[in-house]
PDB file of all heavy atoms in Angstrom:
ATOM      1  N   PRO A 103       4.278   2.852 -23.444  1.00  0.00           N
ATOM      2  CA  PRO A 103       3.566   3.418 -22.294  1.00  0.00           C
ATOM      3  C   PRO A 103       2.078   3.092 -22.322  1.00  0.00           C
ATOM      4  O   PRO A 103       1.456   2.935 -21.306  1.00  0.00           O
ATOM      5  CB  PRO A 103       3.787   4.918 -22.444  1.00  0.00           C
ATOM      6  CG  PRO A 103       4.875   5.086 -23.433  1.00  0.00           C
ATOM      7  CD  PRO A 103       4.938   3.848 -24.253  1.00  0.00           C
ATOM      8  N   ASN A 104       1.511   2.977 -23.526  1.00  0.00           N
ATOM      9  CA  ASN A 104       0.104   2.652 -23.671  1.00  0.00           C
ATOM     10  C   ASN A 104      -0.007   1.190 -24.106  1.00  0.00           C
ATOM     11  O   ASN A 104       0.379   0.847 -25.213  1.00  0.00           O
ATOM     12  CB  ASN A 104      -0.520   3.582 -24.721  1.00  0.00           C
ATOM     13  CG  ASN A 104      -1.975   3.258 -24.982  1.00  0.00           C
ATOM     14  OD1 ASN A 104      -2.527   2.319 -24.416  1.00  0.00           O
ATOM     15  ND2 ASN A 104      -2.594   4.029 -25.840  1.00  0.00           N
ATOM     16  N   PRO A 105      -0.524   0.296 -23.256  1.00  0.00           N
ATOM     17  CA  PRO A 105      -0.596  -1.127 -23.613  1.00  0.00           C
ATOM     18  C   PRO A 105      -1.379  -1.398 -24.896  1.00  0.00           C
ATOM     19  O   PRO A 105      -1.167  -2.408 -25.550  1.00  0.00           O
ATOM     20  CB  PRO A 105      -1.287  -1.766 -22.415  1.00  0.00           C
ATOM     21  CG  PRO A 105      -1.125  -0.813 -21.298  1.00  0.00           C
ATOM     22  CD  PRO A 105      -1.048   0.557 -21.925  1.00  0.00           C
ATOM     23  N   ALA A 106      -2.278  -0.508 -25.282  1.00  0.00           N
ATOM     24  CA  ALA A 106      -3.057  -0.717 -26.501  1.00  0.00           C
ATOM     25  C   ALA A 106      -2.277  -0.319 -27.754  1.00  0.00           C
ATOM     26  O   ALA A 106      -2.664  -0.666 -28.861  1.00  0.00           O
ATOM     27  CB  ALA A 106      -4.348   0.086 -26.425  1.00  0.00           C
ATOM     28  N   ALA A 107      -1.182   0.436 -27.574  1.00  0.00           N
ATOM     29  CA  ALA A 107      -0.408   0.887 -28.736  1.00  0.00           C
ATOM     30  C   ALA A 107       0.451  -0.250 -29.266  1.00  0.00           C
ATOM     31  O   ALA A 107       0.927  -1.087 -28.511  1.00  0.00           O
ATOM     32  CB  ALA A 107       0.476   2.061 -28.330  1.00  0.00           C
ATOM     33  N   PRO A 108       0.659  -0.289 -30.580  1.00  0.00           N
ATOM     34  CA  PRO A 108       1.536  -1.329 -31.126  1.00  0.00           C
ATOM     35  C   PRO A 108       2.967  -1.104 -30.660  1.00  0.00           C
ATOM     36  O   PRO A 108       3.406   0.026 -30.483  1.00  0.00           O
ATOM     37  CB  PRO A 108       1.411  -1.147 -32.638  1.00  0.00           C
ATOM     38  CG  PRO A 108       0.931   0.252 -32.819  1.00  0.00           C
ATOM     39  CD  PRO A 108       0.128   0.594 -31.604  1.00  0.00           C
ATOM     40  N   LEU A 109       3.670  -2.189 -30.434  1.00  0.00           N
ATOM     41  CA  LEU A 109       5.051  -2.082 -29.952  1.00  0.00           C
ATOM     42  C   LEU A 109       5.975  -1.707 -31.101  1.00  0.00           C
ATOM     43  O   LEU A 109       5.752  -2.066 -32.249  1.00  0.00           O
ATOM     44  CB  LEU A 109       5.483  -3.409 -29.336  1.00  0.00           C
ATOM     45  CG  LEU A 109       4.666  -3.834 -28.130  1.00  0.00           C
ATOM     46  CD1 LEU A 109       5.094  -5.207 -27.661  1.00  0.00           C
ATOM     47  CD2 LEU A 109       4.819  -2.834 -27.008  1.00  0.00           C
ATOM     48  N   ASN A 110       7.008  -0.998 -30.768  1.00  0.00           N
ATOM     49  CA  ASN A 110       7.966  -0.530 -31.758  1.00  0.00           C
ATOM     50  C   ASN A 110       9.214  -1.393 -31.666  1.00  0.00           C
ATOM     51  O   ASN A 110      10.032  -1.206 -30.779  1.00  0.00           O
ATOM     52  CB  ASN A 110       8.278   0.939 -31.486  1.00  0.00           C
ATOM     53  CG  ASN A 110       9.144   1.528 -32.564  1.00  0.00           C
ATOM     54  OD1 ASN A 110       9.444   0.878 -33.555  1.00  0.00           O
ATOM     55  ND2 ASN A 110       9.547   2.754 -32.372  1.00  0.00           N
ATOM     56  N   PHE A 111       9.368  -2.355 -32.562  1.00  0.00           N
ATOM     57  CA  PHE A 111      10.483  -3.292 -32.533  1.00  0.00           C
ATOM     58  C   PHE A 111      11.664  -2.718 -33.311  1.00  0.00           C
ATOM     59  O   PHE A 111      11.949  -3.145 -34.419  1.00  0.00           O
ATOM     60  CB  PHE A 111      10.066  -4.646 -33.093  1.00  0.00           C
ATOM     61  CG  PHE A 111       9.032  -5.324 -32.248  1.00  0.00           C
ATOM     62  CD1 PHE A 111       7.715  -5.346 -32.639  1.00  0.00           C
ATOM     63  CD2 PHE A 111       9.376  -5.921 -31.051  1.00  0.00           C
ATOM     64  CE1 PHE A 111       6.763  -5.964 -31.852  1.00  0.00           C
ATOM     65  CE2 PHE A 111       8.434  -6.541 -30.259  1.00  0.00           C
ATOM     66  CZ  PHE A 111       7.116  -6.561 -30.664  1.00  0.00           C
ATOM     67  N   THR A 112      12.339  -1.741 -32.738  1.00  0.00           N
ATOM     68  CA  THR A 112      13.441  -1.088 -33.442  1.00  0.00           C
ATOM     69  C   THR A 112      14.797  -1.401 -32.848  1.00  0.00           C
ATOM     70  O   THR A 112      15.803  -1.004 -33.398  1.00  0.00           O
ATOM     71  CB  THR A 112      13.265   0.434 -33.434  1.00  0.00           C
ATOM     72  OG1 THR A 112      13.192   0.878 -32.084  1.00  0.00           O
ATOM     73  CG2 THR A 112      12.018   0.846 -34.185  1.00  0.00           C
ATOM     74  N   ALA A 113      14.850  -2.069 -31.731  1.00  0.00           N
ATOM     75  CA  ALA A 113      16.123  -2.344 -31.065  1.00  0.00           C
ATOM     76  C   ALA A 113      16.513  -3.799 -31.269  1.00  0.00           C
ATOM     77  O   ALA A 113      15.972  -4.681 -30.623  1.00  0.00           O
ATOM     78  CB  ALA A 113      16.028  -2.031 -29.571  1.00  0.00           C
ATOM     79  N   PRO A 114      17.450  -4.054 -32.181  1.00  0.00           N
ATOM     80  CA  PRO A 114      17.850  -5.448 -32.389  1.00  0.00           C
ATOM     81  C   PRO A 114      18.714  -5.958 -31.240  1.00  0.00           C
ATOM     82  O   PRO A 114      19.354  -5.179 -30.533  1.00  0.00           O
ATOM     83  CB  PRO A 114      18.661  -5.375 -33.686  1.00  0.00           C
ATOM     84  CG  PRO A 114      19.194  -3.994 -33.712  1.00  0.00           C
ATOM     85  CD  PRO A 114      18.160  -3.131 -33.039  1.00  0.00           C
ATOM     86  N   ARG A 115      18.718  -7.267 -31.064  1.00  0.00           N
ATOM     87  CA  ARG A 115      19.585  -7.862 -30.045  1.00  0.00           C
ATOM     88  C   ARG A 115      21.031  -7.585 -30.391  1.00  0.00           C
ATOM     89  O   ARG A 115      21.393  -7.472 -31.548  1.00  0.00           O
ATOM     90  CB  ARG A 115      19.370  -9.365 -29.972  1.00  0.00           C
ATOM     91  CG  ARG A 115      18.033  -9.724 -29.407  1.00  0.00           C
ATOM     92  CD  ARG A 115      17.997 -11.178 -28.967  1.00  0.00           C
ATOM     93  NE  ARG A 115      16.696 -11.496 -28.438  1.00  0.00           N
ATOM     94  CZ  ARG A 115      16.312 -11.251 -27.197  1.00  0.00           C
ATOM     95  NH1 ARG A 115      17.139 -10.674 -26.368  1.00  0.00           N
ATOM     96  NH2 ARG A 115      15.119 -11.572 -26.779  1.00  0.00           N
ATOM     97  N   GLY A 116      21.854  -7.458 -29.370  1.00  0.00           N
ATOM     98  CA  GLY A 116      23.274  -7.210 -29.588  1.00  0.00           C
ATOM     99  C   GLY A 116      23.735  -6.010 -28.783  1.00  0.00           C
ATOM    100  O   GLY A 116      23.107  -5.623 -27.801  1.00  0.00           O
ATOM    101  N   TYR A 117      24.830  -5.421 -29.209  1.00  0.00           N
ATOM    102  CA  TYR A 117      25.436  -4.307 -28.477  1.00  0.00           C
ATOM    103  C   TYR A 117      24.917  -2.971 -28.980  1.00  0.00           C
ATOM    104  O   TYR A 117      24.644  -2.793 -30.164  1.00  0.00           O
ATOM    105  CB  TYR A 117      26.955  -4.356 -28.594  1.00  0.00           C
ATOM    106  CG  TYR A 117      27.541  -5.470 -27.771  1.00  0.00           C
ATOM    107  CD1 TYR A 117      27.827  -6.700 -28.337  1.00  0.00           C
ATOM    108  CD2 TYR A 117      27.777  -5.297 -26.412  1.00  0.00           C
ATOM    109  CE1 TYR A 117      28.343  -7.729 -27.581  1.00  0.00           C
ATOM    110  CE2 TYR A 117      28.291  -6.319 -25.642  1.00  0.00           C
ATOM    111  CZ  TYR A 117      28.571  -7.534 -26.234  1.00  0.00           C
ATOM    112  OH  TYR A 117      29.072  -8.557 -25.479  1.00  0.00           O
ATOM    113  N   ALA A 118      24.799  -2.030 -28.051  1.00  0.00           N
ATOM    114  CA  ALA A 118      24.410  -0.654 -28.357  1.00  0.00           C
ATOM    115  C   ALA A 118      25.142   0.252 -27.379  1.00  0.00           C
ATOM    116  O   ALA A 118      25.649  -0.204 -26.348  1.00  0.00           O
ATOM    117  CB  ALA A 118      22.904  -0.474 -28.216  1.00  0.00           C
ATOM    118  N   MET A 119      25.211   1.517 -27.705  1.00  0.00           N
ATOM    119  CA  MET A 119      25.794   2.492 -26.784  1.00  0.00           C
ATOM    120  C   MET A 119      24.673   3.320 -26.186  1.00  0.00           C
ATOM    121  O   MET A 119      23.779   3.782 -26.898  1.00  0.00           O
ATOM    122  CB  MET A 119      26.786   3.386 -27.513  1.00  0.00           C
ATOM    123  CG  MET A 119      28.008   2.635 -27.977  1.00  0.00           C
ATOM    124  SD  MET A 119      29.265   3.730 -28.645  1.00  0.00           S
ATOM    125  CE  MET A 119      29.980   4.313 -27.115  1.00  0.00           C
ATOM    126  N   LEU A 120      24.705   3.484 -24.857  1.00  0.00           N
ATOM    127  CA  LEU A 120      23.715   4.266 -24.155  1.00  0.00           C
ATOM    128  C   LEU A 120      24.298   5.642 -23.871  1.00  0.00           C
ATOM    129  O   LEU A 120      25.425   5.754 -23.381  1.00  0.00           O
ATOM    130  CB  LEU A 120      23.326   3.577 -22.849  1.00  0.00           C
ATOM    131  CG  LEU A 120      22.219   4.278 -22.091  1.00  0.00           C
ATOM    132  CD1 LEU A 120      21.108   3.285 -21.779  1.00  0.00           C
ATOM    133  CD2 LEU A 120      22.718   4.907 -20.825  1.00  0.00           C
ATOM    134  N   PHE A 121      23.546   6.681 -24.215  1.00  0.00           N
ATOM    135  CA  PHE A 121      23.943   8.061 -23.968  1.00  0.00           C
ATOM    136  C   PHE A 121      22.871   8.752 -23.146  1.00  0.00           C
ATOM    137  O   PHE A 121      21.679   8.523 -23.349  1.00  0.00           O
ATOM    138  CB  PHE A 121      24.090   8.844 -25.282  1.00  0.00           C
ATOM    139  CG  PHE A 121      25.220   8.395 -26.148  1.00  0.00           C
ATOM    140  CD1 PHE A 121      25.022   7.411 -27.099  1.00  0.00           C
ATOM    141  CD2 PHE A 121      26.475   8.967 -26.024  1.00  0.00           C
ATOM    142  CE1 PHE A 121      26.057   6.999 -27.923  1.00  0.00           C
ATOM    143  CE2 PHE A 121      27.515   8.558 -26.838  1.00  0.00           C
ATOM    144  CZ  PHE A 121      27.310   7.573 -27.785  1.00  0.00           C
ATOM    145  N   LEU A 122      23.294   9.622 -22.240  1.00  0.00           N
ATOM    146  CA  LEU A 122      22.380  10.538 -21.566  1.00  0.00           C
ATOM    147  C   LEU A 122      22.579  11.899 -22.221  1.00  0.00           C
ATOM    148  O   LEU A 122      23.709  12.364 -22.372  1.00  0.00           O
ATOM    149  CB  LEU A 122      22.697  10.633 -20.071  1.00  0.00           C
ATOM    150  CG  LEU A 122      22.673   9.331 -19.273  1.00  0.00           C
ATOM    151  CD1 LEU A 122      22.959   9.608 -17.805  1.00  0.00           C
ATOM    152  CD2 LEU A 122      21.359   8.604 -19.436  1.00  0.00           C
ATOM    153  N   ILE A 123      21.479  12.543 -22.609  1.00  0.00           N
ATOM    154  CA  ILE A 123      21.531  13.837 -23.274  1.00  0.00           C
ATOM    155  C   ILE A 123      21.004  14.895 -22.301  1.00  0.00           C
ATOM    156  O   ILE A 123      19.891  14.765 -21.791  1.00  0.00           O
ATOM    157  CB  ILE A 123      20.677  13.855 -24.565  1.00  0.00           C
ATOM    158  CG1 ILE A 123      20.949  12.632 -25.432  1.00  0.00           C
ATOM    159  CG2 ILE A 123      20.875  15.158 -25.320  1.00  0.00           C
ATOM    160  CD1 ILE A 123      22.320  12.538 -26.011  1.00  0.00           C
ATOM    161  N   SER A 124      21.807  15.922 -22.056  1.00  0.00           N
ATOM    162  CA  SER A 124      21.406  16.964 -21.100  1.00  0.00           C
ATOM    163  C   SER A 124      20.302  17.835 -21.690  1.00  0.00           C
ATOM    164  O   SER A 124      20.024  17.798 -22.885  1.00  0.00           O
ATOM    165  CB  SER A 124      22.599  17.841 -20.715  1.00  0.00           C
ATOM    166  OG  SER A 124      22.894  18.738 -21.765  1.00  0.00           O
ATOM    167  N   ASP A 125      19.702  18.662 -20.833  1.00  0.00           N
ATOM    168  CA  ASP A 125      18.658  19.578 -21.289  1.00  0.00           C
ATOM    169  C   ASP A 125      19.201  20.653 -22.224  1.00  0.00           C
ATOM    170  O   ASP A 125      18.444  21.390 -22.834  1.00  0.00           O
ATOM    171  CB  ASP A 125      17.935  20.209 -20.099  1.00  0.00           C
ATOM    172  CG  ASP A 125      18.872  20.921 -19.144  1.00  0.00           C
ATOM    173  OD1 ASP A 125      20.106  20.852 -19.314  1.00  0.00           O
ATOM    174  OD2 ASP A 125      18.370  21.560 -18.199  1.00  0.00           O
ATOM    175  N   GLN A 126      20.525  20.736 -22.375  1.00  0.00           N
ATOM    176  CA  GLN A 126      21.142  21.658 -23.327  1.00  0.00           C
ATOM    177  C   GLN A 126      21.584  20.930 -24.605  1.00  0.00           C
ATOM    178  O   GLN A 126      22.255  21.495 -25.446  1.00  0.00           O
ATOM    179  CB  GLN A 126      22.342  22.348 -22.690  1.00  0.00           C
ATOM    180  CG  GLN A 126      21.945  23.286 -21.559  1.00  0.00           C
ATOM    181  CD  GLN A 126      23.151  23.968 -20.946  1.00  0.00           C
ATOM    182  OE1 GLN A 126      24.127  23.318 -20.604  1.00  0.00           O
ATOM    183  NE2 GLN A 126      23.063  25.276 -20.831  1.00  0.00           N
ATOM    184  N   GLY A 127      21.223  19.646 -24.719  1.00  0.00           N
ATOM    185  CA  GLY A 127      21.544  18.872 -25.915  1.00  0.00           C
ATOM    186  C   GLY A 127      22.957  18.321 -25.943  1.00  0.00           C
ATOM    187  O   GLY A 127      23.442  17.919 -26.993  1.00  0.00           O
ATOM    188  N   ILE A 128      23.619  18.236 -24.800  1.00  0.00           N
ATOM    189  CA  ILE A 128      24.992  17.760 -24.726  1.00  0.00           C
ATOM    190  C   ILE A 128      24.991  16.285 -24.314  1.00  0.00           C
ATOM    191  O   ILE A 128      24.447  15.935 -23.267  1.00  0.00           O
ATOM    192  CB  ILE A 128      25.824  18.582 -23.715  1.00  0.00           C
ATOM    193  CG1 ILE A 128      25.646  20.082 -23.952  1.00  0.00           C
ATOM    194  CG2 ILE A 128      27.278  18.156 -23.744  1.00  0.00           C
ATOM    195  CD1 ILE A 128      26.075  20.546 -25.322  1.00  0.00           C
TER     196      ILE A 128
END
Side-chain angles (χ1 to χ4, degrees):
N104 177 358
L109 298 175
N110 186 5
F111 295 103
T112 58
R115 291 197 180 277
Y117 287 95
M119 293 187 80
L120 184 127
F121 293 90
L122 303 182
I123 313 294
S124 76
D125 56 354
Q126 293 180 310
I128 311 300

